[in-house]
């Protein structure tokens, strides 16, 4: 699956306090680029309430919010590191929460390819050295370059 990840889709040290703000901020450039429909963020929020995407990764947490393919125009991802962690419910254990510092918002339009790409993101997240580099990125471009080179390969 060819997934778009433009430099505008990377946000380093995003200053937000809620999941809703995260979803709005990460969806905005995807909407502007014509990758998702205008109401994408609200559908991501609705899905997150039913199917949480928080993942505990040792000392930090990551979330992989997404929604159904009918809200996607063309496959893309948007990535952010957060200034301050935001609480998410844990995927598969919705009674538990995790403080999330990294968010990979997926906008994928093929259910089968979605699973394969989600597995790539989880493998990326399990690499402690990569996650350390991600958390320590100081600019949007650093974040963009790291994700492009490590998750998406040569583009």
């Amino acid at each position: 699956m060819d997934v778009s990840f433009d430099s505008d889709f990377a946000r380093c040290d995003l200053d937000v306090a809620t999941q809703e703000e995260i979803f709005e901020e990460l969806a905005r450039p995807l909407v502007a680029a014509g990758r998702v429909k205008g109401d994408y963020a609200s559908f991501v929020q609705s899905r997150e309430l039913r199917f949480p995407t928080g993942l505990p990764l040792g000392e930090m947490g990551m979330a992989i919010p997404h929604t159904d393919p009918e809200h996607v125009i063309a496959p893309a991802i948007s990535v952010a590191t957060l200034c301050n962690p935001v609480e998410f419910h844990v995927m598969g254990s919705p009674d538990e929460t995790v403080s999330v510092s990294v968010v990979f918002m997926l906008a994928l339009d093929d259910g089968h390819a979605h699973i394969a790409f989600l597995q790539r993101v989880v493998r990326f997240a399990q690499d402690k050295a990569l996650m350390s580099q991600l958390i320590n990125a100081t600019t949007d471009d650093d974040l963009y370059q790291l994700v492009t080179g490590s998750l998406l390969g040569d583009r």
Side-chain angles (χ1 to χ4, degrees):
M1 169 186 295
D2 187 29
V3 177
S4 175
F5 181 59
D6 300 341
S7 59
D8 291 343
F9 303 167
R11 301 287 303 275
C12 186
D13 294 327
L14 186 61
D15 190 10
V16 294
T18 67
Q19 289 181 17
E20 185 176 0
E21 289 176 309
I22 294 168
F23 302 152
E24 289 293 333
E25 289 294 323
L26 291 182
R28 186 174 293 120
L30 298 176
V31 171
R35 301 293 181 190
V36 298
K37 296 179 181 177
D39 54 0
Y40 187 76
S42 65
F43 282 98
V44 170
Q45 178 71 36
S46 176
R47 187 185 188 286
E48 187 70 29
L49 293 172
R50 294 186 324 271
F51 304 105
T53 64
L55 296 172
L57 300 173
E59 295 179 14
M60 61 173 234
M62 176 176 150
I64 311 172
H66 53 281
T67 195
D68 301 319
E70 63 261 21
H71 306 290
V72 176
I73 297 167
I77 62 170
S78 189
V79 178
T81 57
L82 306 180
C83 283
N84 300 298
V86 172
E87 291 298 306
F88 275 72
H89 288 275
V90 174
M91 184 185 302
S93 299
D95 293 337
E96 298 175 32
T97 60
V98 60
S99 295
V100 166
S101 299
V102 176
V103 180
F104 279 74
M105 179 182 276
L106 308 183
L108 304 174
D109 62 355
D110 178 329
H112 297 293
H114 172 89
I115 299 299
F117 194 81
L118 186 59
Q119 290 171 335
R120 286 172 65 185
V121 172
V122 170
R123 279 193 303 273
F124 179 96
Q126 291 172 333
D127 186 318
K128 290 181 181 182
L130 279 176
M131 289 305 287
S132 178
Q133 290 176 350
L134 194 76
I135 284 294
N136 292 313
T138 57
T139 68
D140 293 352
D141 189 61
D142 289 346
L143 187 61
Y144 170 75
Q145 295 297 332
L146 180 64
V147 172
T148 299
S150 300
L151 179 64
L152 303 175
D154 293 334
R155 308 235 332 170

